[in-house]
Amino acid sequence: MNRKLAIWLGSIVLALILLGGSLFVVKEGEYKVVLKFGEAVRVESSPGLYVKIPFIESVSVLPKYQMTYESNPTSILTKDKKPIIVDNYTVWRISNPQNFLKTVQTVGGGIQRIDEAVYNSVRRKLSEVNYDNIISENTARGNINDDITKDVSDAIIRDNYGIEIVDVRIKRTDLPESNKESVYNRMISDRQAIAARYLSEGDEESRKVTSKADRTATELLAQAEADAKKIIAQGEQEAAQIYNQAYGKDPEFYSFYRTLQSYVTTLNNEPVILLPIDSPYTRILLGK
């Protein structure tokens, strides 16, 4: 009885061991590659519970998500023979786990292949470009990044590593310490020259605007004076017409009015005047 119980318990334990060795779980964001005698026979990429043959098949885990590799700073000589330090990064992922295990085997091995391809491409591409185009934040810089990405991707696909290159970007370009001071001085000189040109152009534009404003003001004043003279002449003409019309209607009243005006002018400063007894002034003043 005890022997049967021991055999029964042993059978249960063996079954549990076999069951545990035959099941494996695939999590989100990972590949599980089933190996048979060291050779990849299938890949499970969807999350869930799977079965393998115990003791014959084993499972290797590989990341399914995108990874980023930052290359070590590299010294490059540009087309115009200027040494620069280039720092770049690569976004990549495993696209074919079976080929990946067959060729590079580990993530570290994949990074090594990527680093070699990136270094060769960056050195070749930047040696064809002048320094100013590399450091500028314009379309040329973007084209360089795109060209390097395509070049590295083609090299990786050609070697069939099971790797997909998503993007390669130049993160930083710097000068060796020995070259920085001379380049900075040249940049300062260039900026000062640009500032001087802007100031000169501003002064010239200011003179043009001032000259135009002065000319416009002179023209406006001349036109205003001409208009004023014309209005004064028209007013004097209308006044003369009114005087003539008034004189023509009642000459005696007009003569009397003009006489009163002469009194105002003559007696304004209270002078002493001697008048003949028979003068018009005397007759009017005496009420005759």
Side-chain angles (χ1 to χ4, degrees):
M1 184 66 179
N2 291 335
R3 184 179 179 184
K4 290 182 178 180
L5 179 61
I7 294 173
W8 184 73
L9 291 175
S11 300
I12 292 176
V13 171
L14 180 60
L16 290 175
I17 292 174
L18 292 175
L19 182 63
S22 63
L23 299 178
F24 65 95
V25 177
V26 178
K27 299 179 181 179
E28 190 72 34
E30 68 178 11
Y31 295 111
K32 287 289 181 70
V33 183
V34 179
L35 306 173
K36 187 174 183 179
F37 303 115
E39 183 179 354
V41 292
R42 69 180 186 276
V43 177
E44 304 294 351
S45 58
S46 299
L49 185 64
Y50 296 88
V51 179
K52 64 181 179 64
I53 302 174
F55 309 112
I56 297 177
E57 293 180 340
S58 60
V59 176
S60 180
V61 183
L62 293 174
K64 186 179 179 182
Y65 50 81
Q66 289 185 356
M67 293 167 280
T68 301
Y69 167 66
E70 294 191 9
S71 302
N72 294 323
T74 305
S75 178
I76 301 293
L77 197 64
T78 63
K79 183 179 180 180
D80 47 355
K81 307 304 179 184
K82 292 181 180 179
I84 60 173
I85 305 298
V86 180
D87 191 6
N88 52 270
Y89 67 88
T90 304
V91 180
W92 67 286
R93 59 180 293 271
I94 298 173
S95 58
N96 190 320
Q98 289 178 300
N99 287 349
F100 185 85
L101 285 176
K102 186 184 298 184
T103 54
V104 299
Q105 298 181 350
T106 64
V107 172
I111 289 176
Q112 182 178 355
R113 300 298 192 281
I114 292 172
D115 186 67
E116 293 171 356
V118 169
Y119 173 75
N120 292 333
S121 178
V122 169
R123 184 180 60 181
R124 182 170 59 255
K125 292 295 181 181
L126 297 190
S127 66
E128 301 171 353
V129 184
N130 290 329
Y131 174 75
D132 292 339
N133 291 333
I134 296 174
I135 64 173
S136 63
E137 296 294 335
N138 56 13
T139 307
R141 175 73 172 267
N143 290 340
I144 293 173
N145 286 325
D146 294 340
D147 290 344
I148 292 174
T149 299
K150 184 178 184 307
D151 194 36
V152 174
S153 179
D154 291 343
I156 294 295
I157 291 174
R158 183 172 57 250
D159 293 332
N160 201 21
Y161 290 137
I163 294 174
E164 177 188 353
I165 301 298
V166 179
D167 197 11
V168 181
R169 293 283 152 179
I170 296 175
K171 184 173 66 174
R172 179 176 62 93
T173 55
D174 204 354
L175 291 168
E177 293 295 331
S178 58
N179 293 28
K180 282 185 178 180
E181 185 175 356
S182 62
V183 172
Y184 289 161
N185 290 336
R186 190 190 68 184
M187 292 173 64
I188 292 172
S189 177
D190 292 343
R191 296 303 182 271
Q192 289 175 344
I194 293 173
R197 188 178 76 248
Y198 285 163
L199 289 173
S200 176
E201 292 174 353
D203 291 340
E204 182 179 356
E205 188 66 23
S206 175
R207 287 192 296 270
K208 290 180 180 179
V209 172
T210 302
S211 175
K212 183 178 180 180
D214 291 342
R215 184 169 62 253
T216 302
T218 301
E219 292 174 355
L220 290 174
L221 288 173
Q223 184 63 40
E225 290 178 357
D227 292 342
K229 290 179 180 179
K230 183 178 180 180
I231 292 171
I232 291 172
Q234 291 175 352
E236 291 177 347
Q237 183 180 359
E238 291 178 2
Q241 291 176 356
I242 292 171
Y243 287 145
N244 291 334
Q245 292 174 1
Y247 180 77
K249 290 181 179 179
D250 194 345
E252 291 183 359
F253 174 78
Y254 182 73
S255 177
F256 175 71
Y257 175 73
R258 295 294 293 174
T259 300
L260 291 178
Q261 284 185 326
S262 68
Y263 289 165
V264 173
T265 303
T266 302
L267 302 177
N268 187 32
N269 295 324
E270 299 181 359
V272 177
I273 302 174
L274 297 177
L275 299 173
I277 193 67
D278 58 348
S279 69
Y281 281 179
T282 303
R283 286 199 304 271
I284 292 173
L285 292 173
L286 293 178
K288 295 181 181 181

